[in-house]
Amino acid sequence: MHARTAWQALAHHPLAFLATLWPWRALAYLLSGVGVGALTLVVLVAGLLTGLVLLPLGVGAVVLLAVVLGGGVVARVERWRLRLVDLDPAATYHRAPDAPGARAWLRTRLRDRLTWRELGFTAVSMTALWWMDLLVLAFALALPVLCVTAPLDDPGAWPWVVIGLALLPAAPYTVTGWAGARAALTRLVLAPRDAELTEVRASRARLVGAFDAERRRIERDLHDGAQQRLVSVNVMLGLARLDAGPGTPLGRRLDLIQGELTTAVGELRELSRGVHPRALTDQGLAAALTNLTARSPLPVTVDIALPAPLPASVASTAYFVVAEALANATKHGGAGRAEVRARLRTDTLVLTVHDDGSGGADPAGRGLTGLADRVAAADGILRLSSPSGGPTLLHVEMPCH
């Protein structure tokens, strides 16, 4: 596996790691950290003192404001340096100004939590981190060199030479280990992957919402279009059968056609319910699940207590979880009965589907994997208990905010 960070290279290939550029990249990271930290300490402390001195004159407020925003400059340099030991881009997620102009930009930037995180990291960096970089470099490189270059004509100096030679092979690991730890801290504060995950979750939720909207459109088109036309054709066939007269060859043929058409209308109705049940949109989750369980070949006990309507995405996900669970219990589990229970606890929907089947449901199966992905898109969790011999319990929790 291709290493993306210095830590990965050190952990996955501890010997081959020495022949790569990672130790030198880690060394450059720490050396530049010492330089950036020392320069930051001088500039910001000077700016802070100048601002405090000039504060009575009014100019000091501008200088102090520049010190606060200077944390963003230092953070930008740290994100750029991070590429030495972490190849993944360190993106910046500052809030966009709510209006054009410098005043709106400044107001938004001062209200942004990331601005103060950058300032806090700058304070820690200039007061502690670069000193630790210097100490690690001194221990890993300077100390072994000093030991090795001890006067050889001194009879008491040879142990230091041995110690220095023993410490030198460990220097790349020491330098890279601390560089990796420092980089991990930098990413945690300045470029957290939480923002990327939030955007991924939001994108996934948008896709699920668009998919549900398309399902509703297809159901509406089937119900209001094709199904109504078939019903009209069925009525006209009934009138034609009356005109043909009972017992005639044409009447018997029309009876056969009308029977097939009635079956097709019923299948189309079931298909539209499977795409997106009309009751879910018109009457809510409780009514939709009641209709669903009434059509199930299994005897199903329904216990639903929802004091408030659920968000459309949550209700839709819950409906299809129950539909898939009942279908699995009927087709694969050999269940004799099932129970569906739903409760709203604070702002979380808790849904359970229990059946007395033979168990052994595979969480990696296509249906359950799809359900788990759908529940995860709603920021929910899905748990399955299905030991061999049964029973099977499907437990789902989804936030409703």
Side-chain angles (χ1 to χ4, degrees):
M1 183 180 68
H2 181 64
R4 302 291 299 172
T5 67
W7 262 2
Q8 289 180 357
L10 181 60
H12 295 157
H13 307 286
L15 295 179
F17 155 81
L18 296 174
T20 67
L21 292 177
W22 285 111
W24 300 103
R25 295 170 72 102
L27 178 62
Y29 184 67
L30 296 189
L31 287 173
S32 61
V34 173
V36 170
L39 180 62
T40 301
L41 178 64
V42 173
V43 174
L44 291 190
V45 169
L48 180 62
L49 295 177
T50 303
L52 292 175
V53 171
L54 298 179
L55 191 59
L57 302 179
V59 182
V62 178
V63 178
L64 293 177
L65 181 61
V67 171
V68 171
L69 297 179
V73 178
V74 175
R76 183 173 299 178
V77 174
E78 289 293 336
R79 292 188 185 97
W80 176 79
R81 289 197 321 111
L82 193 61
R83 296 298 297 272
L84 286 170
V85 289
D86 188 341
L87 300 181
D88 292 333
T92 305
Y93 292 96
H94 277 292
R95 289 169 49 194
D98 52 6
R103 180 173 296 181
W105 178 88
L106 181 61
R107 182 174 60 250
T108 303
R109 186 57 61 91
L110 291 178
R111 292 177 178 175
D112 192 353
R113 292 178 59 186
L114 184 55
T115 299
W116 301 100
R117 291 176 66 165
E118 290 173 341
L119 182 61
F121 181 83
T122 299
V124 173
S125 177
M126 72 181 186
T127 56
L129 291 181
W130 77 273
W131 291 99
M132 297 179 70
D133 293 344
L134 187 60
L135 288 175
V136 169
L137 290 173
F139 176 80
L141 299 176
L143 179 61
V145 170
L146 290 176
C147 291
V148 170
T149 56
L152 296 179
D153 56 351
D154 185 356
W158 68 267
W160 293 105
V161 176
V162 175
I163 293 174
L165 292 175
L167 289 176
L168 275 177
Y173 298 97
T174 304
V175 170
T176 305
W178 169 244
R182 196 192 198 290
L185 176 63
T186 301
R187 179 173 287 281
L188 179 65
V189 178
L190 298 182
R193 290 186 170 90
D194 292 348
E196 300 173 16
L197 294 176
T198 299
E199 178 58 30
V200 170
R201 286 195 294 266
S203 176
R204 186 169 57 180
R206 287 193 297 269
L207 288 175
V208 171
F211 180 65
D212 284 339
E214 185 65 15
R215 291 174 72 110
R216 288 192 294 270
R217 185 191 66 78
I218 294 173
E219 185 274 334
R220 186 172 57 252
D221 290 345
L222 288 175
H223 183 273
D224 299 338
Q227 186 174 328
Q228 295 302 323
R229 287 182 180 275
L230 289 177
V231 170
S232 298
V233 172
N234 198 8
V235 172
M236 288 188 289
L237 280 174
L239 295 175
R241 185 175 59 84
L242 292 176
D243 293 338
T248 64
L250 179 59
R252 289 193 297 270
R253 188 170 299 173
L254 289 176
D255 284 339
L256 180 61
I257 295 174
Q258 190 175 24
E260 292 294 328
L261 186 59
T262 301
T263 302
V265 170
E267 292 177 350
L268 184 61
R269 185 177 292 112
E270 289 298 320
L271 177 61
S272 65
R273 287 172 179 169
V275 171
H276 188 86
R278 175 63 65 93
L280 187 61
T281 303
D282 297 341
Q283 301 172 351
L285 178 62
L289 290 181
T290 301
N291 293 341
L292 173 66
T293 55
R295 301 193 307 270
S296 174
L298 280 178
V300 182
T301 302
V302 180
D303 181 12
I304 301 175
L306 301 174
L310 301 178
S313 60
V314 174
S316 177
T317 300
Y319 177 88
F320 288 107
V321 165
V322 175
E324 181 69 21
L326 293 180
N328 288 340
T330 303
K331 296 178 182 178
H332 310 296
R337 63 179 300 101
E339 179 183 357
V340 177
R341 190 173 188 271
R343 291 290 186 273
L344 191 62
R345 296 178 181 172
T346 312
D347 62 347
T348 301
L349 173 67
V350 179
L351 176 70
T352 58
V353 183
H354 179 273
D355 70 72
D356 61 356
S358 59
D362 183 10
R366 184 175 179 181
L368 289 175
T369 300
L371 284 185
D373 291 341
R374 189 179 179 93
V375 171
D379 283 337
I381 56 174
L382 183 148
R383 298 188 182 97
L384 175 68
S385 174
S386 184
S388 181
T392 296
L393 175 64
L394 191 66
H395 180 94
V396 173
E397 295 182 13
M398 288 182 289
C400 298
H401 50 266

